[in-house]
Amino acid sequence: MTETDEDFARHNARMKKVQAARERMQAKRTLERGLLIVHTGNGKGKSSSAFGMAIRSLGWGMKVGIVQYVKGSWETGEKNFFQANPDLLTFEVMGEGFTWDTQDRARDIDAARAAWERSKELILDPAYDFIILDELNIVLRQDTLPIDEIVAFLKDRPLTKHICITGRNAKPELIELADLVTEFEEVKHPFKAGFKAQKGVEY
C-alpha cells in the first residue's frame, strides 16, 4: 500500500495530539525518590535486567553495589567483568550455590545472613545510589531468611537510593511493598529443547 500526502498529514496530526497528551501526563508526575524494584517470574532475564540498570546508573555517575545471594559459587560473565573492574562498582559474592548443591541448610542460613548484613550496610551507606540484591527472592522463598525482618527493614530504608531485588517466586509481602514489580514470563527456552546453558546468554 502506497501512502499519500493525505495519509501522512493525518498521521502527523494524530502524533501531535499524542505528543500533547503525553506532555500533559508527564507534567502530573512530580514524585521523585528511591524506588524499590522487584524482578520475579519464571522467565530468564531478571538478573540480566538488573545488571543493565546497574550499567545505566554507572553511566550517570551513580555509585552501585551488588550483593549476590546464590550464584556466588558459579563463574559468570558478570562476575568476571565486575571483579576485574572493581573501580566501577562494589560487587559482593556472598552465595555458595543452590541448596541442592550445598546440601547443608545451616551453611545456607549462615551465607544468607552474612549476605543480608552486608546488604544492609550498603543500603544504609549514603555513598551508594543503586543497590542490587541478586536472587534474594530465592532465599526468601526457601525461608532461609525471615521475610518479616526484610520487609521491616525495607519499609524504613533510606529513600535516597534505588534497590532492585531479583529472583523467582517473590513473596507477596515484598511485592506489596515494592514500587515497581516486573514478572518475567517464559515463552520459550532452549533448555527444554536439550540445550545446555550458553555462555554470555545465561551466565
Side-chain angles (χ1 to χ4, degrees):
M1 183 183 76
T2 302
E3 295 187 68
T4 66
D5 289 343
E6 187 178 343
D7 292 326
F8 289 132
R10 279 198 298 266
H11 170 81
N12 293 345
R14 282 197 308 272
M15 291 306 101
K16 186 173 289 188
K17 290 179 181 179
V18 170
Q19 183 185 52
R22 294 288 301 177
E23 289 174 352
R24 287 194 300 272
M25 182 179 67
Q26 292 291 345
K28 295 178 182 178
R29 271 60 178 176
T30 57
L31 297 177
E32 186 173 357
R33 66 163 173 78
L35 299 177
L36 180 61
I37 302 162
V38 173
H39 289 177
T40 192
N42 293 328
K44 178 199 166 342
K46 298 176 287 292
S47 296
S48 301
S49 178
F51 297 147
M53 285 195 293
I55 292 169
R56 177 177 288 166
S57 297
L58 291 171
W60 285 108
M62 298 165 70
K63 189 170 177 64
V64 177
I66 299 173
V67 177
Q68 285 202 306
Y69 277 76
V70 175
K71 291 178 184 164
S73 63
W74 296 12
E75 182 181 11
T76 62
E78 61 268 18
K79 179 179 176 180
N80 290 341
F81 178 76
F82 291 139
Q83 288 188 335
N85 296 276
D87 55 313
L88 288 179
L89 50 69
T90 299
F91 186 77
E92 302 280 354
V93 177
M94 308 291 288
E96 296 190 10
F98 290 102
T99 53
W100 58 81
D101 292 323
T102 62
Q103 300 178 24
D104 185 338
R105 180 149 177 84
R107 179 177 157 192
D108 294 337
I109 291 172
D110 288 344
R113 173 55 60 185
W116 175 238
E117 294 303 320
R118 181 58 176 143
S119 299
K120 290 193 292 184
E121 290 175 3
L122 293 174
I123 291 169
L124 293 175
D125 188 336
Y128 285 87
D129 304 296
F130 184 52
I131 304 293
I132 296 172
L133 308 181
D134 189 36
E135 297 192 326
L136 172 59
N137 285 335
I138 291 179
V139 300
L140 292 176
R141 178 188 71 200
Q142 296 164 346
D143 297 318
T144 312
L145 289 172
I147 183 64
D148 292 346
E149 176 186 347
I150 276 66
V151 167
F153 178 85
L154 292 174
K155 278 183 178 178
D156 292 330
R157 71 193 186 278
L159 298 179
T160 54
K161 66 192 68 189
H162 305 301
I163 301 169
C164 182
I165 299 171
T166 74
R168 59 182 62 197
N169 300 119
K171 292 272 191 176
E173 300 94 323
L174 191 57
I175 290 174
E176 183 178 353
L177 180 63
D179 300 295
L180 171 61
V181 180
T182 302
E183 184 164 1
F184 290 68
E185 179 182 356
E186 180 181 313
V187 176
K188 190 174 185 180
H189 200 293
F191 183 79
K192 293 181 179 177
F195 289 85
K196 66 179 184 179
Q198 302 293 300
K199 185 182 294 185
V201 176
E202 293 175 283
Y203 67 95

